[in-house]
Amino acid sequence: MARRRRSRYHRLDVKASPYLYVLPFFLLFGVFGAFPLIYTAWVSFFDWDFLAETHQWIGLDNYWRLFSDYTFWNAVLNTAQILVLSMVPQLLLALLLAYALNQRLRSPRFWQMSALLPNITSVVAVTIIFGQLFGRDYGMINWFLGLFELGKIDWQAGQASSQIAIATMIVWRWTGYTALIYLAAMQAVPKDLYAAASLDGATSFQQFRMITVPAIRPTIVFTVIISTIAGMQVLAEPLLFGGGSISGGSDRQFQTLSLYLYEVGFNRWEFGYASAASWLMFALIVIAASINYLFLGRIRRH
Amino acid sequence: MSSERYVERQLLVVSRRLRVFLCTFVALVLPAPLAGCGDSDDGRIRLTVGTFGEFGYDQLYREYEAANPGIRIVERVTRAEDHHKNLAAHLATNTGAADVEAVEEGWLGQFTAAPNRFIDLNTYGAATLKSGWPDWKWNFGTSADGRVIGLGTDVGGMAMCYRRDLFTRAGLPVDRTEVAKLWPSWEKYIETGARFKQQVPDVGWMDGPTSMFRSVLGQQEVGLYDGPDSIVVGTNPSVKKAWDLSAQALERGLSARLVAFSSDWNAGLAQGSFATLACPSWMMTLIQEQARNAAGQWDVATVPGGGGNWGGSWLTVPKQTEHPAEAAALAVWLTAPQQQAAVFRASGNFPSTVSLYKDPVIKDFRNPFFNNAPVGRFFATSVTRLEPQYIGPRTGEIATRIINGLSRVEQGRDTPDESWRKVLREVEVLS
């Protein structure tokens, strides 16, 4: 009798417990993820002034307005440019760094932890330091250029220069983190592959290209998608680089999508329009991530 | 130190930090009293005062606490633009606002348009104080349906601050009456600037576009609005005049190319990288704060074109405060003539209460930092004559966009005409 009861408990345990274990995540996701998402969708159908007491239903008008909003598409373009400028060097450098960390090093933990340091530094601190590096009058980079009589660059004023500066901050912050993900994948590559390749006389670059990279391809796909999603949402770097200016420079030359959302919502107080823009942004992120996935998936099959 | 001891110490530090972190985190999620992080441990009521820039209140807080032992005051200072953005967010979400919130003139209209979010200060006896302020200052803090949202603190007025040492280097006179004769008009101000740059090419004549544009604009009869909800940026010749003069000064290379109130601008003040700065009274407070090493070098003369106003603020009490009576009492006290006079003498923000303009405490005050300039007389004259513009709800946002336009000219991204067209497009979005 007792045994049967125990087995019933056991069945219940086996069936229900897993759901219980994942429940905290879904509760948190529901409160901080799903609810805001759905609520934003609801708000996006209104002319919703921040402080007004009543809001007017306007259907899809906010979305139609977005399609002809020059500023929105300017932000999309800036975001895409900064994404490419930051993601490509970041992933390449991370690969090399991981490869180096995977060699036999004295005190490997120390080097691995060092790689993570930039990432655990507060983004505000990073931006302040880089803001000083890229300063126009007293910045270190301009001082360095001055040594070679190359003249001063007004980093914030130009479109290319400002975006390069912002991309540099992102690269600095995320390269180490990505490298550790690659390192974990590299350590799972069977050692005998390398041994066999060495016997066949492959150089270490050939080993890297023919063994390491193909073996960790799924991880590369993963990091590309993750950094695309993160890159589409860059906010703190351009905001703080511009000294807190929400327009992202005098000509919006480095205003990203998130920054534009912030301007519309918290500066112009048009919450309905900002919500519509954030849904369109969500759609764009899904599209960008899917393109990357399909593109890299094809490479994988070859 | 042994390694165990070291680890122990580190853990202690970490756990202390963790507590602070958790307290902050919980305070964000739960209402403050639930989180146990709200009112101070000693049972005193804690009042938060949210300000921006420099209000010069530190001394007054201590004084008020001494006179009211049940009250503890905490100040929260944020950059002006962020301050108003955060305030709006806190009002909209009904949580997070300070007990007393300062609001600047360029943003006030947006808040008086949402009177339900604030305490009507009439319910705490503000009506009896009305005669203390000039009508325009009082009316602007009042909502359309007659609720008193804000009590006036300072008023900008207008003057021109200049560096005596840099003027000497350029061979310009340094005596304030002589200096005033250099710039009866803004055109002459630009001419003098060009002369200055010939002698001292490595220093800016002015800081950047903001202070000049706002000053010229502040002298016009009609500014960015000609009535409620009626933005006239594109049609009002006065706005274009302010734009053209500023653009001309920028194109002639007179600016140190600093974004007003940024950290670079602060550094520029400290290092003396520009020679003149259009200065409403509150600007003098900032100069004293940022250019401490330059006491006696700065001086004050009358502004080109004469008169005008830029800025000035109000104190409000958001409805979400848990201590409305105490917060209102504090706001009333801080804006009373005696306290406004103390602020002016200690740091420079000029009072908005009229009784003070004839009071020798104000009228005869000379500021030692500014080479004993008779700033009391200057600003009393300038403010008494003040013909206030209509300041619409989005004045702050519109001005930011116009100044961005001037920055484009300064950076050489656009010609003045191209940039002006962009400004009109940007302002259109706001109307």
Side-chain angles (χ1 to χ4, degrees):
Chain A
M1 194 58 199
R3 213 160 117 199
R4 256 175 64 193
R5 197 186 307 148
R6 203 180 304 148
S7 82
R8 213 165 49 225
Y9 278 139
H10 178 71
R11 269 209 311 277
L12 190 72
D13 182 31
V14 168
K15 282 224 162 88
S17 296
Y19 293 101
L20 215 61
Y21 297 146
V22 294
L23 188 65
F25 167 77
F26 281 96
L27 276 180
L28 283 175
F29 174 75
V31 173
F32 294 109
F35 170 72
L37 210 65
I38 294 163
Y39 190 64
T40 310
W42 169 249
V43 171
S44 75
F45 298 122
F46 288 85
D47 182 0
W48 190 298
D49 181 277
F50 209 18
L51 289 186
E53 316 265 300
T54 55
H55 314 290
Q56 199 198 340
W57 174 276
I58 53 168
L60 287 171
D61 276 7
N62 282 327
Y63 291 91
W64 300 137
R65 225 178 103 198
L66 268 176
F67 283 105
S68 57
D69 181 346
Y70 162 81
T71 322
F72 176 78
W73 295 105
N74 169 63
V76 171
L77 198 65
N78 285 339
T79 309
Q81 283 162 348
I82 293 175
L83 178 69
V84 173
L85 279 174
S86 61
M87 192 167 77
V88 174
Q90 178 202 326
L91 298 188
L92 290 178
L93 286 172
L95 261 181
L96 293 177
L97 184 61
Y99 187 70
L101 286 173
N102 201 23
Q103 306 305 308
R104 257 189 229 113
L105 296 169
R106 205 171 281 205
S107 55
R109 283 280 171 267
F110 170 76
W111 298 110
Q112 290 166 12
M113 292 315 289
S114 312
L116 204 56
L117 265 181
N119 194 250
I120 57 175
T121 315
S122 126
V123 59
V124 179
V126 172
T127 323
I128 289 173
I129 300 287
F130 274 79
Q132 284 173 1
L133 286 179
F134 288 105
R136 184 193 61 206
D137 295 334
Y138 309 107
M140 215 162 94
I141 296 179
N142 275 349
W143 166 80
F144 186 72
L145 292 176
L147 292 183
F148 302 96
E149 315 244 320
L150 288 171
K152 284 182 172 175
I153 297 177
D154 191 349
W155 291 94
Q156 278 192 32
Q159 177 155 32
S161 61
S162 58
Q163 294 190 359
I164 287 171
I166 290 166
T168 312
M169 295 177 211
I170 301 172
V171 170
W172 191 80
R173 241 167 80 75
W174 290 98
T175 299
Y177 175 81
T178 316
L180 288 190
I181 297 180
Y182 288 158
L183 179 64
M186 283 179 187
Q187 284 174 343
V189 181
K191 293 277 179 290
D192 17 339
L193 286 177
Y194 294 105
S198 298
L199 280 179
D200 289 343
T203 64
S204 64
F205 178 70
Q206 279 171 328
Q207 291 182 20
F208 174 69
R209 210 167 60 93
M210 311 299 272
I211 302 174
T212 313
V213 173
I216 66 166
R217 209 158 252 172
T219 313
I220 296 179
V221 174
F222 169 76
T223 55
V224 167
I225 289 169
I226 291 295
S227 55
T228 307
I229 294 173
M232 294 286 284
Q233 306 183 53
V234 166
L235 171 76
E237 284 90 350
L239 178 64
L240 294 167
F241 177 67
S245 141
I246 41 160
S247 60
S250 60
D251 207 7
R252 303 180 182 276
Q253 62 268 33
F254 54 93
Q255 186 176 47
T256 57
L257 262 174
S258 302
L259 205 47
Y260 181 60
L261 278 186
Y262 187 52
E263 180 187 345
V264 174
F266 291 89
N267 184 261
R268 279 158 48 183
W269 298 5
E270 294 181 46
F271 246 47
Y273 193 53
S275 301
S278 64
W279 264 90
L280 199 52
M281 176 174 159
F282 177 64
L284 290 171
I285 293 176
V286 171
I287 292 170
S290 321
I291 291 174
N292 275 330
Y293 182 76
L294 291 175
F295 182 65
L296 288 164
R298 280 178 69 115
I299 294 180
R300 188 166 33 168
R301 273 197 297 278
H302 281 301
Chain B
M1 198 190 300
S2 75
S3 65
E4 288 86 11
R5 284 270 307 283
Y6 177 76
V7 168
E8 221 166 83
R9 281 271 295 275
Q10 288 301 307
L11 281 176
L12 204 71
V13 171
V14 168
S15 79
R16 229 180 265 147
R17 286 198 188 139
L18 197 66
R19 204 156 56 209
V20 173
F21 171 77
L22 281 178
C23 204
T24 321
F25 177 76
V26 173
L28 284 174
V29 178
L30 300 174
L34 270 180
C37 307
D39 278 343
S40 41
D41 310 331
D42 54 9
R44 291 190 289 175
I45 291 177
R46 194 177 74 167
L47 293 179
T48 320
V49 183
T51 65
F52 51 89
E54 185 57 67
F55 272 69
Y57 280 167
D58 288 349
Q59 194 54 44
L60 293 177
Y61 293 147
R62 304 293 85 84
E63 212 176 292
Y64 192 78
E65 284 175 344
N68 301 272
I71 306 271
R72 194 163 76 91
I73 302 175
V74 182
E75 190 175 42
R76 190 164 72 195
V77 188
T78 326
R79 230 174 52 108
E81 213 166 294
D82 297 332
H83 168 83
H84 295 96
K85 239 168 9 212
N86 295 346
L87 175 57
H90 292 149
L91 292 177
T93 53
N94 221 6
T95 178
D99 300 289
V100 177
E101 290 273 10
V103 177
E104 205 261 349
E105 144 190 285
W107 281 273
L108 185 62
Q110 276 175 304
F111 293 113
T112 49
N116 287 336
R117 310 274 181 178
F118 293 92
I119 299 282
D120 179 0
L121 292 166
N122 271 329
T123 48
Y124 294 96
T128 58
L129 305 171
K130 184 174 185 301
S131 60
W133 283 273
D135 282 345
W136 67 270
K137 187 82 184 175
W138 179 265
N139 291 339
F140 200 41
T142 307
S143 70
D145 56 0
R147 284 183 264 187
V148 176
I149 306 299
L151 296 175
T153 58
D154 60 325
V155 60
M158 191 63 76
M160 182 64 83
C161 293
Y162 63 97
R163 289 275 302 224
R164 295 171 65 93
D165 52 339
L166 295 173
F167 271 47
T168 311
R169 260 180 71 189
L172 295 171
V174 289
D175 177 70
R176 27 191 110 83
T177 41
E178 291 298 308
V179 168
K181 283 182 199 150
L182 291 174
W183 52 57
S185 65
W186 287 101
E187 286 80 0
K188 286 277 187 268
Y189 172 77
I190 295 174
E191 294 300 324
T192 314
R195 257 169 66 202
F196 173 89
K197 282 296 276 189
Q198 272 171 7
Q199 301 300 320
V200 192
D202 58 325
V203 173
W205 172 244
M206 54 194 226
D207 59 330
T210 306
S211 56
M212 179 169 173
F213 175 78
R214 292 300 300 249
S215 307
V216 183
L217 184 71
Q219 293 176 342
Q220 312 302 320
E221 204 174 309
V222 179
L224 305 174
Y225 282 80
D226 70 353
D229 293 326
S230 167
I231 300 176
V232 290
V233 173
T235 51
N236 181 0
S238 308
V239 179
K240 191 69 198 318
K241 180 184 163 200
W243 167 275
D244 286 339
L245 281 167
S246 312
Q248 197 194 338
L250 298 173
E251 283 204 304
R252 293 182 71 170
L254 302 186
S255 146
R257 304 178 59 182
L258 297 166
V259 177
F261 320 125
S262 67
S263 52
D264 287 343
W265 184 82
N266 290 341
L269 264 179
Q271 304 188 346
S273 50
F274 46 89
T276 66
L277 178 60
C279 71
S281 61
W282 48 264
M283 189 72 95
M284 300 190 353
T285 318
L286 290 176
I287 296 176
Q288 288 176 75
E289 189 62 32
Q290 300 299 336
R292 282 180 202 182
N293 54 343
Q297 296 297 355
W298 282 96
D299 207 323
V300 191
T302 51
V303 70
N309 182 47
W310 173 18
S313 299
W314 284 257
L315 292 186
T316 67
V317 179
K319 191 159 264 177
Q320 57 186 265
T321 175
E322 284 168 43
H323 311 289
E326 290 81 0
L330 176 60
V332 167
W333 187 80
L334 283 172
T335 52
Q338 203 187 346
Q339 277 61 253
Q340 294 210 22
V343 168
F344 173 64
R345 292 169 66 89
S347 50
N349 294 342
F350 197 73
S352 60
T353 42
V354 278
S355 61
L356 289 173
Y357 300 161
K358 295 194 180 76
D359 190 330
V361 164
I362 295 298
K363 211 177 53 158
D364 299 338
F365 179 69
R366 289 169 171 269
N367 191 324
F369 183 93
F370 291 87
N371 199 33
N372 281 317
V375 288
R377 184 167 51 80
F378 263 7
F379 284 103
T381 321
S382 144
V383 168
T384 321
R385 283 207 226 119
L386 188 80
E387 294 275 345
Q389 258 175 26
Y390 181 82
I391 306 284
R394 291 193 151 173
T395 298
E397 313 299 346
I398 298 171
T400 304
R401 280 161 173 77
I402 298 180
I403 286 156
N404 270 343
L406 288 168
S407 294
R408 291 194 291 270
V409 174
E410 186 180 53
Q411 293 166 338
R413 290 187 68 91
D414 286 332
T415 66
D417 286 344
E418 279 166 7
S419 189
W420 178 248
R421 276 196 293 277
K422 282 189 194 168
V423 166
L424 294 183
R425 202 168 60 196
E426 292 246 318
V427 171
E428 186 115 7
V429 178
L430 289 178
S431 40

